[in-house]
């Protein structure tokens, strides 16, 4: 693991959701940003997005409720986009989904299965989820340097 990756460990889905809420609250007022989420099925990405979305006033139950939806757009201020590339083929798809348009709209886009974008967009931040045990996940952050990641990670579980 890259030493510059900042990480924390959560011990329940609720903790991951709360972490998502803190990150969402923090990024909401920081201008257009893409948040790339990486990790296997069941690693906790959608759980994190539920908390993140709550920071925009979007109810957790709306998140991921229709599994066939690739881009869910919420008319919040700023606009919030939840993009889930799970069902797309493993080919770079950044152009296909029109990600640039979302970014240029000044919104905040959170992308699950960001591996499939090909390359992360300029200025994107990333969050990586790893399964450590039934209720335990390691969650690490990149790209938050200079924007104070420690503000939302309650208990940095190491560097
Ligand atoms: P993904 O979107 O990465 O496929 P989900 O968030 O949909 O993953 O699913 C994660 C599953 O793991 C949920 O059933 C959740 O309740 C469970 N879980 C258990 N512990 C945690 C944790 N610490 N963080 C996130 N999810 C957890
Ligand atoms: Mg998911």
């Amino acid at each position: 693991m890259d030493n510059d990756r900042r990480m924390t460990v959560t011990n329940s889905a609720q903790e991951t959701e709360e972490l998502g809420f803190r990150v969402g609250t923090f990024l909401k007022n920081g201008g257009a940003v893409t948040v790339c989420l990486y990790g296997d099925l069941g690693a906790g990405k959608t759980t994190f997005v539920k908390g993140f979305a709550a920071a925009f006033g979007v109810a957790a139950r709306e998140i991921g409720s229709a599994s066939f939806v690739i881009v869910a757009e919420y008319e919040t201020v700023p606009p919030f986009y939840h993009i889930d590339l799970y069902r797309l083929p493993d080919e770079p798809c950044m152009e296909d989904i029109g990600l640039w348009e979302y970014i240029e709209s000044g919104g905040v886009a959170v992308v699950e299965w960001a591996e499939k974008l090909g390359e992360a967009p300029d200025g994107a931040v990333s969050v990586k989820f790893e399964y450590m045990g039934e209720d335990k996940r390691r969650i690490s952050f990149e790209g938050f340097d200079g924007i104070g990641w420690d503000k939302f990670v309650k208990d940095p579980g190491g560097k």
Side-chain angles (χ1 to χ4, degrees), residues 55-104:
F56 288 74
V58 175
R61 74 181 120 73
E62 287 193 41
I63 299 301
S65 56
S67 63
F68 51 85
V69 171
I70 293 170
V71 181
E73 176 176 355
Y74 299 93
E75 291 178 354
T76 51
V77 181
F80 171 62
Y81 304 94
H82 175 207
I83 301 170
D84 190 346
L85 305 178
Y86 179 56
R87 279 166 205 287
L88 293 194
D90 291 334
E91 282 156 26
C93 62
M94 194 136 109
E95 305 301 330
D96 305 341
I97 61 168
L99 184 59
W100 291 116
E101 286 168 42
Y102 303 128
I103 297 169
E104 281 162 14

mmCIF file of all heavy atoms in Angstrom, residues 55-104:
data_model
loop_
_atom_site.group_PDB
_atom_site.id
_atom_site.type_symbol
_atom_site.label_atom_id
_atom_site.label_comp_id
_atom_site.label_asym_id
_atom_site.label_seq_id
_atom_site.Cartn_x
_atom_site.Cartn_y
_atom_site.Cartn_z
ATOM 1 N N ALA A 55 -25.653 13.754 3.369
ATOM 2 C CA ALA A 55 -25.091 15.098 3.538
ATOM 3 C C ALA A 55 -25.710 16.090 2.547
ATOM 4 O O ALA A 55 -25.697 17.296 2.770
ATOM 5 C CB ALA A 55 -23.572 15.060 3.385
ATOM 6 N N PHE A 56 -26.266 15.557 1.447
ATOM 7 C CA PHE A 56 -26.931 16.395 0.444
ATOM 8 C C PHE A 56 -28.444 16.428 0.666
ATOM 9 O O PHE A 56 -29.185 16.999 -0.135
ATOM 10 C CB PHE A 56 -26.633 15.873 -0.970
ATOM 11 C CG PHE A 56 -25.221 16.127 -1.412
ATOM 12 C CD1 PHE A 56 -24.156 15.389 -0.898
ATOM 13 C CD2 PHE A 56 -24.938 17.129 -2.340
ATOM 14 C CE1 PHE A 56 -22.856 15.636 -1.291
ATOM 15 C CE2 PHE A 56 -23.636 17.377 -2.740
ATOM 16 C CZ PHE A 56 -22.594 16.629 -2.210
ATOM 17 N N GLY A 57 -28.881 15.737 1.705
ATOM 18 C CA GLY A 57 -30.311 15.685 1.980
ATOM 19 C C GLY A 57 -31.034 14.587 1.213
ATOM 20 O O GLY A 57 -32.260 14.575 1.142
ATOM 21 N N VAL A 58 -30.280 13.663 0.629
ATOM 22 C CA VAL A 58 -30.891 12.546 -0.109
ATOM 23 C C VAL A 58 -31.028 11.365 0.848
ATOM 24 O O VAL A 58 -30.060 10.997 1.528
ATOM 25 C CB VAL A 58 -30.008 12.142 -1.317
ATOM 26 C CG1 VAL A 58 -30.582 10.910 -2.013
ATOM 27 C CG2 VAL A 58 -29.866 13.313 -2.291
ATOM 28 N N ALA A 59 -32.222 10.781 0.903
ATOM 29 C CA ALA A 59 -32.468 9.686 1.844
ATOM 30 C C ALA A 59 -31.672 8.443 1.471
ATOM 31 O O ALA A 59 -31.573 8.084 0.294
ATOM 32 C CB ALA A 59 -33.956 9.351 1.859
ATOM 33 N N ALA A 60 -31.125 7.798 2.469
ATOM 34 C CA ALA A 60 -30.303 6.601 2.258
ATOM 35 C C ALA A 60 -31.057 5.541 1.455
ATOM 36 O O ALA A 60 -30.468 4.871 0.611
ATOM 37 C CB ALA A 60 -29.868 6.031 3.607
ATOM 38 N N ARG A 61 -32.367 5.420 1.695
ATOM 39 C CA ARG A 61 -33.104 4.355 1.016
ATOM 40 C C ARG A 61 -33.191 4.564 -0.495
ATOM 41 O O ARG A 61 -33.465 3.648 -1.247
ATOM 42 C CB ARG A 61 -34.499 4.182 1.630
ATOM 43 C CG ARG A 61 -35.478 5.274 1.258
ATOM 44 C CD ARG A 61 -36.838 5.076 1.908
ATOM 45 N NE ARG A 61 -37.177 6.201 2.754
ATOM 46 C CZ ARG A 61 -37.543 7.404 2.298
ATOM 47 N NH1 ARG A 61 -37.616 7.624 1.006
ATOM 48 N NH2 ARG A 61 -37.816 8.379 3.129
ATOM 49 N N GLU A 62 -32.956 5.804 -0.942
ATOM 50 C CA GLU A 62 -32.982 6.074 -2.384
ATOM 51 C C GLU A 62 -31.704 5.599 -3.072
ATOM 52 O O GLU A 62 -31.669 5.443 -4.290
ATOM 53 C CB GLU A 62 -33.119 7.574 -2.634
ATOM 54 C CG GLU A 62 -34.496 8.087 -2.339
ATOM 55 C CD GLU A 62 -34.685 9.483 -2.902
ATOM 56 O OE1 GLU A 62 -34.233 9.739 -4.032
ATOM 57 O OE2 GLU A 62 -35.256 10.307 -2.182
ATOM 58 N N ILE A 63 -30.668 5.396 -2.297
ATOM 59 C CA ILE A 63 -29.366 5.075 -2.886
ATOM 60 C C ILE A 63 -29.281 3.595 -3.231
ATOM 61 O O ILE A 63 -29.455 2.735 -2.372
ATOM 62 C CB ILE A 63 -28.227 5.470 -1.924
ATOM 63 C CG1 ILE A 63 -28.264 6.975 -1.663
ATOM 64 C CG2 ILE A 63 -26.871 5.039 -2.464
ATOM 65 C CD1 ILE A 63 -28.119 7.847 -2.897
ATOM 66 N N GLY A 64 -29.050 3.325 -4.507
ATOM 67 C CA GLY A 64 -28.904 1.948 -4.962
ATOM 68 C C GLY A 64 -30.208 1.178 -4.979
ATOM 69 O O GLY A 64 -30.216 -0.042 -5.092
ATOM 70 N N SER A 65 -31.331 1.892 -4.892
ATOM 71 C CA SER A 65 -32.610 1.187 -4.817
ATOM 72 C C SER A 65 -32.971 0.532 -6.153
ATOM 73 O O SER A 65 -33.667 -0.463 -6.179
ATOM 74 C CB SER A 65 -33.715 2.131 -4.358
ATOM 75 O OG SER A 65 -33.777 3.238 -5.217
ATOM 76 N N ALA A 66 -32.480 1.096 -7.239
ATOM 77 C CA ALA A 66 -32.697 0.470 -8.551
ATOM 78 C C ALA A 66 -31.339 0.057 -9.101
ATOM 79 O O ALA A 66 -30.558 0.895 -9.541
ATOM 80 C CB ALA A 66 -33.382 1.453 -9.492
ATOM 81 N N SER A 67 -31.070 -1.227 -9.051
ATOM 82 C CA SER A 67 -29.701 -1.685 -9.331
ATOM 83 C C SER A 67 -29.318 -1.529 -10.799
ATOM 84 O O SER A 67 -28.144 -1.574 -11.138
ATOM 85 C CB SER A 67 -29.540 -3.144 -8.910
ATOM 86 O OG SER A 67 -30.407 -3.932 -9.691
ATOM 87 N N PHE A 68 -30.316 -1.330 -11.673
ATOM 88 C CA PHE A 68 -29.993 -1.193 -13.104
ATOM 89 C C PHE A 68 -29.640 0.232 -13.488
ATOM 90 O O PHE A 68 -29.255 0.509 -14.609
ATOM 91 C CB PHE A 68 -31.171 -1.682 -13.948
ATOM 92 C CG PHE A 68 -32.472 -1.055 -13.551
ATOM 93 C CD1 PHE A 68 -32.843 0.180 -14.061
ATOM 94 C CD2 PHE A 68 -33.305 -1.685 -12.627
ATOM 95 C CE1 PHE A 68 -34.032 0.776 -13.667
ATOM 96 C CE2 PHE A 68 -34.503 -1.083 -12.232
ATOM 97 C CZ PHE A 68 -34.870 0.143 -12.747
ATOM 98 N N VAL A 69 -29.774 1.164 -12.544
ATOM 99 C CA VAL A 69 -29.482 2.560 -12.858
ATOM 100 C C VAL A 69 -27.968 2.789 -12.803
ATOM 101 O O VAL A 69 -27.316 2.428 -11.832
ATOM 102 C CB VAL A 69 -30.187 3.507 -11.857
ATOM 103 C CG1 VAL A 69 -29.716 4.941 -12.026
ATOM 104 C CG2 VAL A 69 -31.688 3.417 -12.038
ATOM 105 N N ILE A 70 -27.440 3.349 -13.866
ATOM 106 C CA ILE A 70 -25.996 3.606 -13.880
ATOM 107 C C ILE A 70 -25.703 4.997 -13.319
ATOM 108 O O ILE A 70 -24.801 5.155 -12.512
ATOM 109 C CB ILE A 70 -25.428 3.436 -15.305
ATOM 110 C CG1 ILE A 70 -25.540 1.950 -15.689
ATOM 111 C CG2 ILE A 70 -23.966 3.881 -15.376
ATOM 112 C CD1 ILE A 70 -25.250 1.643 -17.125
ATOM 113 N N VAL A 71 -26.478 5.984 -13.749
ATOM 114 C CA VAL A 71 -26.280 7.334 -13.210
ATOM 115 C C VAL A 71 -27.571 7.810 -12.553
ATOM 116 O O VAL A 71 -28.600 7.898 -13.215
ATOM 117 C CB VAL A 71 -25.890 8.340 -14.317
ATOM 118 C CG1 VAL A 71 -25.661 9.722 -13.712
ATOM 119 C CG2 VAL A 71 -24.650 7.881 -15.067
ATOM 120 N N ALA A 72 -27.523 8.074 -11.281
ATOM 121 C CA ALA A 72 -28.670 8.667 -10.584
ATOM 122 C C ALA A 72 -28.297 10.104 -10.275
ATOM 123 O O ALA A 72 -27.273 10.369 -9.650
ATOM 124 C CB ALA A 72 -28.964 7.902 -9.303
ATOM 125 N N GLU A 73 -29.137 11.018 -10.773
ATOM 126 C CA GLU A 73 -28.855 12.439 -10.611
ATOM 127 C C GLU A 73 -29.837 13.029 -9.610
ATOM 128 O O GLU A 73 -31.040 12.806 -9.730
ATOM 129 C CB GLU A 73 -29.010 13.124 -11.977
ATOM 130 C CG GLU A 73 -28.827 14.613 -11.907
ATOM 131 C CD GLU A 73 -28.876 15.265 -13.297
ATOM 132 O OE1 GLU A 73 -28.966 14.560 -14.318
ATOM 133 O OE2 GLU A 73 -28.844 16.507 -13.320
ATOM 134 N N TYR A 74 -29.333 13.746 -8.639
ATOM 135 C CA TYR A 74 -30.200 14.349 -7.626
ATOM 136 C C TYR A 74 -30.125 15.856 -7.750
ATOM 137 O O TYR A 74 -29.024 16.419 -7.851
ATOM 138 C CB TYR A 74 -29.767 13.891 -6.229
ATOM 139 C CG TYR A 74 -29.886 12.384 -6.076
ATOM 140 C CD1 TYR A 74 -28.808 11.553 -6.333
ATOM 141 C CD2 TYR A 74 -31.105 11.804 -5.725
ATOM 142 C CE1 TYR A 74 -28.926 10.168 -6.231
ATOM 143 C CE2 TYR A 74 -31.236 10.425 -5.617
ATOM 144 C CZ TYR A 74 -30.135 9.615 -5.873
ATOM 145 O OH TYR A 74 -30.252 8.246 -5.779
ATOM 146 N N GLU A 75 -31.282 16.505 -7.748
ATOM 147 C CA GLU A 75 -31.315 17.954 -7.952
ATOM 148 C C GLU A 75 -31.089 18.686 -6.641
ATOM 149 O O GLU A 75 -31.932 19.423 -6.163
ATOM 150 C CB GLU A 75 -32.632 18.349 -8.607
ATOM 151 C CG GLU A 75 -32.687 17.838 -10.031
ATOM 152 C CD GLU A 75 -33.994 18.149 -10.731
ATOM 153 O OE1 GLU A 75 -34.915 18.675 -10.082
ATOM 154 O OE2 GLU A 75 -34.072 17.862 -11.929
ATOM 155 N N THR A 76 -29.933 18.445 -6.103
ATOM 156 C CA THR A 76 -29.558 19.081 -4.848
ATOM 157 C C THR A 76 -28.659 20.276 -5.182
ATOM 158 O O THR A 76 -28.342 20.524 -6.339
ATOM 159 C CB THR A 76 -28.787 18.067 -3.980
ATOM 160 O OG1 THR A 76 -27.734 17.491 -4.775
ATOM 161 C CG2 THR A 76 -29.699 16.941 -3.511
ATOM 162 N N VAL A 77 -28.255 20.995 -4.179
ATOM 163 C CA VAL A 77 -27.323 22.114 -4.382
ATOM 164 C C VAL A 77 -26.081 21.848 -3.532
ATOM 165 O O VAL A 77 -26.181 21.835 -2.309
ATOM 166 C CB VAL A 77 -27.953 23.463 -3.958
ATOM 167 C CG1 VAL A 77 -26.968 24.607 -4.211
ATOM 168 C CG2 VAL A 77 -29.252 23.704 -4.700
ATOM 169 N N PRO A 78 -24.921 21.595 -4.149
ATOM 170 C CA PRO A 78 -24.718 21.413 -5.588
ATOM 171 C C PRO A 78 -25.328 20.090 -6.043
ATOM 172 O O PRO A 78 -25.658 19.249 -5.210
ATOM 173 C CB PRO A 78 -23.175 21.369 -5.697
ATOM 174 C CG PRO A 78 -22.719 20.805 -4.388
ATOM 175 C CD PRO A 78 -23.688 21.318 -3.378
ATOM 176 N N PRO A 79 -25.476 19.899 -7.370
ATOM 177 C CA PRO A 79 -26.027 18.636 -7.861
ATOM 178 C C PRO A 79 -25.178 17.453 -7.399
ATOM 179 O O PRO A 79 -23.951 17.570 -7.317
ATOM 180 C CB PRO A 79 -25.946 18.767 -9.387
ATOM 181 C CG PRO A 79 -25.696 20.194 -9.684
ATOM 182 C CD PRO A 79 -25.099 20.822 -8.462
ATOM 183 N N PHE A 80 -25.847 16.377 -7.076
ATOM 184 C CA PHE A 80 -25.156 15.172 -6.620
ATOM 185 C C PHE A 80 -25.456 14.042 -7.610
ATOM 186 O O PHE A 80 -26.599 13.846 -8.008
ATOM 187 C CB PHE A 80 -25.651 14.817 -5.208
ATOM 188 C CG PHE A 80 -25.186 13.477 -4.717
ATOM 189 C CD1 PHE A 80 -23.830 13.211 -4.561
ATOM 190 C CD2 PHE A 80 -26.091 12.475 -4.403
ATOM 191 C CE1 PHE A 80 -23.389 11.977 -4.113
ATOM 192 C CE2 PHE A 80 -25.662 11.235 -3.947
ATOM 193 C CZ PHE A 80 -24.305 10.987 -3.806
ATOM 194 N N TYR A 81 -24.406 13.339 -8.008
ATOM 195 C CA TYR A 81 -24.552 12.224 -8.945
ATOM 196 C C TYR A 81 -23.996 10.961 -8.307
ATOM 197 O O TYR A 81 -22.864 10.960 -7.821
ATOM 198 C CB TYR A 81 -23.754 12.481 -10.231
ATOM 199 C CG TYR A 81 -24.110 13.761 -10.912
ATOM 200 C CD1 TYR A 81 -23.383 14.929 -10.663
ATOM 201 C CD2 TYR A 81 -25.178 13.819 -11.809
ATOM 202 C CE1 TYR A 81 -23.715 16.121 -11.286
ATOM 203 C CE2 TYR A 81 -25.514 15.009 -12.441
ATOM 204 C CZ TYR A 81 -24.773 16.151 -12.169
ATOM 205 O OH TYR A 81 -25.108 17.322 -12.787
ATOM 206 N N HIS A 82 -24.790 9.927 -8.310
ATOM 207 C CA HIS A 82 -24.297 8.622 -7.855
ATOM 208 C C HIS A 82 -24.195 7.730 -9.088
ATOM 209 O O HIS A 82 -25.199 7.399 -9.713
ATOM 210 C CB HIS A 82 -25.269 8.017 -6.829
ATOM 211 C CG HIS A 82 -24.884 6.630 -6.413
ATOM 212 N ND1 HIS A 82 -25.810 5.716 -5.968
ATOM 213 C CD2 HIS A 82 -23.684 6.000 -6.369
ATOM 214 C CE1 HIS A 82 -25.186 4.567 -5.664
ATOM 215 N NE2 HIS A 82 -23.898 4.731 -5.907
ATOM 216 N N ILE A 83 -22.982 7.364 -9.418
ATOM 217 C CA ILE A 83 -22.722 6.598 -10.638
ATOM 218 C C ILE A 83 -22.220 5.223 -10.229
ATOM 219 O O ILE A 83 -21.273 5.113 -9.436
ATOM 220 C CB ILE A 83 -21.657 7.343 -11.496
ATOM 221 C CG1 ILE A 83 -22.185 8.739 -11.833
ATOM 222 C CG2 ILE A 83 -21.311 6.542 -12.747
ATOM 223 C CD1 ILE A 83 -21.164 9.671 -12.467
ATOM 224 N N ASP A 84 -22.880 4.175 -10.713
ATOM 225 C CA ASP A 84 -22.487 2.812 -10.346
ATOM 226 C C ASP A 84 -22.182 2.041 -11.628
ATOM 227 O O ASP A 84 -23.084 1.717 -12.405
ATOM 228 C CB ASP A 84 -23.611 2.138 -9.561
ATOM 229 C CG ASP A 84 -23.147 0.817 -8.958
ATOM 230 O OD1 ASP A 84 -22.071 0.315 -9.360
ATOM 231 O OD2 ASP A 84 -23.867 0.289 -8.088
ATOM 232 N N LEU A 85 -20.916 1.762 -11.834
ATOM 233 C CA LEU A 85 -20.486 1.157 -13.099
ATOM 234 C C LEU A 85 -20.481 -0.369 -13.051
ATOM 235 O O LEU A 85 -19.993 -1.017 -13.974
ATOM 236 C CB LEU A 85 -19.075 1.675 -13.455
ATOM 237 C CG LEU A 85 -18.959 3.201 -13.512
ATOM 238 C CD1 LEU A 85 -17.523 3.616 -13.829
ATOM 239 C CD2 LEU A 85 -19.916 3.772 -14.552
ATOM 240 N N TYR A 86 -21.033 -0.937 -11.988
ATOM 241 C CA TYR A 86 -20.987 -2.390 -11.788
ATOM 242 C C TYR A 86 -21.420 -3.163 -13.027
ATOM 243 O O TYR A 86 -20.797 -4.139 -13.406
ATOM 244 C CB TYR A 86 -21.888 -2.764 -10.603
ATOM 245 C CG TYR A 86 -21.938 -4.241 -10.323
ATOM 246 C CD1 TYR A 86 -20.764 -4.961 -10.086
ATOM 247 C CD2 TYR A 86 -23.157 -4.933 -10.300
ATOM 248 C CE1 TYR A 86 -20.804 -6.318 -9.821
ATOM 249 C CE2 TYR A 86 -23.194 -6.285 -10.035
ATOM 250 C CZ TYR A 86 -22.019 -6.977 -9.802
ATOM 251 O OH TYR A 86 -22.066 -8.319 -9.543
ATOM 252 N N ARG A 87 -22.487 -2.719 -13.655
ATOM 253 C CA ARG A 87 -23.038 -3.473 -14.773
ATOM 254 C C ARG A 87 -22.380 -3.177 -16.111
ATOM 255 O O ARG A 87 -22.759 -3.764 -17.120
ATOM 256 C CB ARG A 87 -24.543 -3.236 -14.873
ATOM 257 C CG ARG A 87 -25.234 -4.115 -13.889
ATOM 258 C CD ARG A 87 -26.659 -3.792 -13.620
ATOM 259 N NE ARG A 87 -26.952 -4.301 -12.286
ATOM 260 C CZ ARG A 87 -27.078 -5.596 -11.994
ATOM 261 N NH1 ARG A 87 -27.004 -6.503 -12.938
ATOM 262 N NH2 ARG A 87 -27.267 -5.985 -10.756
ATOM 263 N N LEU A 88 -21.444 -2.289 -16.135
ATOM 264 C CA LEU A 88 -20.782 -1.994 -17.407
ATOM 265 C C LEU A 88 -19.616 -2.959 -17.629
ATOM 266 O O LEU A 88 -19.039 -3.472 -16.681
ATOM 267 C CB LEU A 88 -20.260 -0.550 -17.420
ATOM 268 C CG LEU A 88 -21.330 0.538 -17.404
ATOM 269 C CD1 LEU A 88 -20.707 1.874 -17.768
ATOM 270 C CD2 LEU A 88 -22.470 0.234 -18.361
ATOM 271 N N PRO A 89 -19.267 -3.192 -18.887
ATOM 272 C CA PRO A 89 -18.124 -4.074 -19.171
ATOM 273 C C PRO A 89 -16.825 -3.455 -18.661
ATOM 274 O O PRO A 89 -16.757 -2.250 -18.401
ATOM 275 C CB PRO A 89 -18.117 -4.177 -20.700
ATOM 276 C CG PRO A 89 -19.006 -3.095 -21.198
ATOM 277 C CD PRO A 89 -19.924 -2.690 -20.097
ATOM 278 N N ASP A 90 -15.826 -4.300 -18.521
ATOM 279 C CA ASP A 90 -14.536 -3.834 -17.986
ATOM 280 C C ASP A 90 -13.730 -3.075 -19.028
ATOM 281 O O ASP A 90 -12.581 -3.388 -19.268
ATOM 282 C CB ASP A 90 -13.697 -5.028 -17.519
ATOM 283 C CG ASP A 90 -14.312 -5.669 -16.290
ATOM 284 O OD1 ASP A 90 -15.009 -4.967 -15.548
ATOM 285 O OD2 ASP A 90 -14.074 -6.880 -16.097
ATOM 286 N N GLU A 91 -14.354 -2.101 -19.632
ATOM 287 C CA GLU A 91 -13.620 -1.309 -20.617
ATOM 288 C C GLU A 91 -13.726 0.144 -20.206
ATOM 289 O O GLU A 91 -14.740 0.540 -19.650
ATOM 290 C CB GLU A 91 -14.251 -1.477 -22.005
ATOM 291 C CG GLU A 91 -13.868 -2.783 -22.647
ATOM 292 C CD GLU A 91 -14.896 -3.224 -23.681
ATOM 293 O OE1 GLU A 91 -15.584 -2.344 -24.233
ATOM 294 O OE2 GLU A 91 -14.995 -4.443 -23.904
ATOM 295 N N PRO A 92 -12.693 0.926 -20.486
ATOM 296 C CA PRO A 92 -12.748 2.336 -20.070
ATOM 297 C C PRO A 92 -14.023 2.991 -20.582
ATOM 298 O O PRO A 92 -14.359 2.862 -21.752
ATOM 299 C CB PRO A 92 -11.514 2.942 -20.742
ATOM 300 C CG PRO A 92 -10.592 1.787 -20.939
ATOM 301 C CD PRO A 92 -11.466 0.591 -21.189
ATOM 302 N N CYS A 93 -14.750 3.672 -19.701
ATOM 303 C CA CYS A 93 -16.069 4.169 -20.091
ATOM 304 C C CYS A 93 -16.276 5.630 -19.734
ATOM 305 O O CYS A 93 -17.385 6.124 -19.753
ATOM 306 C CB CYS A 93 -17.146 3.334 -19.408
ATOM 307 S SG CYS A 93 -17.059 3.445 -17.620
ATOM 308 N N MET A 94 -15.188 6.313 -19.416
ATOM 309 C CA MET A 94 -15.329 7.700 -18.959
ATOM 310 C C MET A 94 -16.071 8.555 -19.976
ATOM 311 O O MET A 94 -16.938 9.352 -19.620
ATOM 312 C CB MET A 94 -13.951 8.280 -18.720
ATOM 313 C CG MET A 94 -14.013 9.537 -17.962
ATOM 314 S SD MET A 94 -12.775 9.530 -16.712
ATOM 315 C CE MET A 94 -11.689 10.709 -17.370
ATOM 316 N N GLU A 95 -15.740 8.394 -21.281
ATOM 317 C CA GLU A 95 -16.419 9.177 -22.329
ATOM 318 C C GLU A 95 -17.863 8.717 -22.464
ATOM 319 O O GLU A 95 -18.779 9.535 -22.561
ATOM 320 C CB GLU A 95 -15.702 9.004 -23.673
ATOM 321 C CG GLU A 95 -14.202 9.342 -23.642
ATOM 322 C CD GLU A 95 -13.927 10.778 -23.215
ATOM 323 O OE1 GLU A 95 -14.776 11.656 -23.477
ATOM 324 O OE2 GLU A 95 -12.868 11.010 -22.600
ATOM 325 N N ASP A 96 -18.070 7.397 -22.440
ATOM 326 C CA ASP A 96 -19.411 6.843 -22.689
ATOM 327 C C ASP A 96 -20.455 7.356 -21.712
ATOM 328 O O ASP A 96 -21.593 7.614 -22.090
ATOM 329 C CB ASP A 96 -19.392 5.306 -22.585
ATOM 330 C CG ASP A 96 -18.353 4.694 -23.494
ATOM 331 O OD1 ASP A 96 -17.929 5.393 -24.432
ATOM 332 O OD2 ASP A 96 -17.957 3.540 -23.257
ATOM 333 N N ILE A 97 -20.087 7.467 -20.457
ATOM 334 C CA ILE A 97 -21.102 7.876 -19.486
ATOM 335 C C ILE A 97 -21.195 9.398 -19.377
ATOM 336 O O ILE A 97 -22.003 9.919 -18.626
ATOM 337 C CB ILE A 97 -20.852 7.271 -18.088
ATOM 338 C CG1 ILE A 97 -19.508 7.720 -17.534
ATOM 339 C CG2 ILE A 97 -20.947 5.747 -18.127
ATOM 340 C CD1 ILE A 97 -19.342 7.403 -16.057
ATOM 341 N N GLY A 98 -20.347 10.101 -20.140
ATOM 342 C CA GLY A 98 -20.425 11.569 -20.140
ATOM 343 C C GLY A 98 -20.031 12.174 -18.814
ATOM 344 O O GLY A 98 -20.568 13.196 -18.394
ATOM 345 N N LEU A 99 -19.076 11.536 -18.152
ATOM 346 C CA LEU A 99 -18.673 12.002 -16.819
ATOM 347 C C LEU A 99 -18.244 13.463 -16.818
ATOM 348 O O LEU A 99 -18.530 14.197 -15.883
ATOM 349 C CB LEU A 99 -17.553 11.109 -16.279
ATOM 350 C CG LEU A 99 -17.074 11.398 -14.863
ATOM 351 C CD1 LEU A 99 -18.217 11.265 -13.861
ATOM 352 C CD2 LEU A 99 -15.949 10.445 -14.473
ATOM 353 N N TRP A 100 -17.625 13.880 -17.916
ATOM 354 C CA TRP A 100 -17.157 15.271 -17.964
ATOM 355 C C TRP A 100 -18.295 16.256 -17.804
ATOM 356 O O TRP A 100 -18.142 17.294 -17.189
ATOM 357 C CB TRP A 100 -16.396 15.547 -19.266
ATOM 358 C CG TRP A 100 -15.098 14.823 -19.279
ATOM 359 C CD1 TRP A 100 -14.720 13.822 -20.131
ATOM 360 C CD2 TRP A 100 -14.007 14.996 -18.360
ATOM 361 N NE1 TRP A 100 -13.472 13.374 -19.788
ATOM 362 C CE2 TRP A 100 -13.001 14.068 -18.721
ATOM 363 C CE3 TRP A 100 -13.789 15.833 -17.275
ATOM 364 C CZ2 TRP A 100 -11.791 13.961 -18.029
ATOM 365 C CZ3 TRP A 100 -12.584 15.731 -16.588
ATOM 366 C CH2 TRP A 100 -11.606 14.807 -16.967
ATOM 367 N N GLU A 101 -19.434 15.900 -18.370
ATOM 368 C CA GLU A 101 -20.566 16.830 -18.256
ATOM 369 C C GLU A 101 -21.006 17.002 -16.809
ATOM 370 O O GLU A 101 -21.367 18.087 -16.389
ATOM 371 C CB GLU A 101 -21.751 16.327 -19.086
ATOM 372 C CG GLU A 101 -21.518 16.521 -20.567
ATOM 373 C CD GLU A 101 -22.535 15.774 -21.392
ATOM 374 O OE1 GLU A 101 -23.721 15.805 -21.017
ATOM 375 O OE2 GLU A 101 -22.123 15.167 -22.402
ATOM 376 N N TYR A 102 -20.960 15.905 -16.076
ATOM 377 C CA TYR A 102 -21.351 16.007 -14.669
ATOM 378 C C TYR A 102 -20.346 16.870 -13.915
ATOM 379 O O TYR A 102 -20.703 17.685 -13.088
ATOM 380 C CB TYR A 102 -21.431 14.625 -14.028
ATOM 381 C CG TYR A 102 -22.373 13.703 -14.738
ATOM 382 C CD1 TYR A 102 -21.971 12.441 -15.142
ATOM 383 C CD2 TYR A 102 -23.666 14.124 -15.021
ATOM 384 C CE1 TYR A 102 -22.844 11.595 -15.806
ATOM 385 C CE2 TYR A 102 -24.546 13.292 -15.688
ATOM 386 C CZ TYR A 102 -24.125 12.030 -16.079
ATOM 387 O OH TYR A 102 -24.975 11.206 -16.739
ATOM 388 N N ILE A 103 -19.094 16.648 -14.226
ATOM 389 C CA ILE A 103 -18.056 17.413 -13.544
ATOM 390 C C ILE A 103 -18.200 18.901 -13.871
ATOM 391 O O ILE A 103 -18.148 19.759 -12.997
ATOM 392 C CB ILE A 103 -16.659 16.891 -13.937
ATOM 393 C CG1 ILE A 103 -16.503 15.444 -13.464
ATOM 394 C CG2 ILE A 103 -15.561 17.780 -13.345
ATOM 395 C CD1 ILE A 103 -15.283 14.735 -14.001
ATOM 396 N N GLU A 104 -18.446 19.172 -15.158
ATOM 397 C CA GLU A 104 -18.544 20.573 -15.575
ATOM 398 C C GLU A 104 -19.795 21.260 -15.046
ATOM 399 O O GLU A 104 -19.865 22.474 -14.989
ATOM 400 C CB GLU A 104 -18.477 20.674 -17.108
ATOM 401 C CG GLU A 104 -17.038 20.561 -17.581
ATOM 402 C CD GLU A 104 -16.919 20.220 -19.051
ATOM 403 O OE1 GLU A 104 -17.931 20.321 -19.774
ATOM 404 O OE2 GLU A 104 -15.808 19.841 -19.462
#
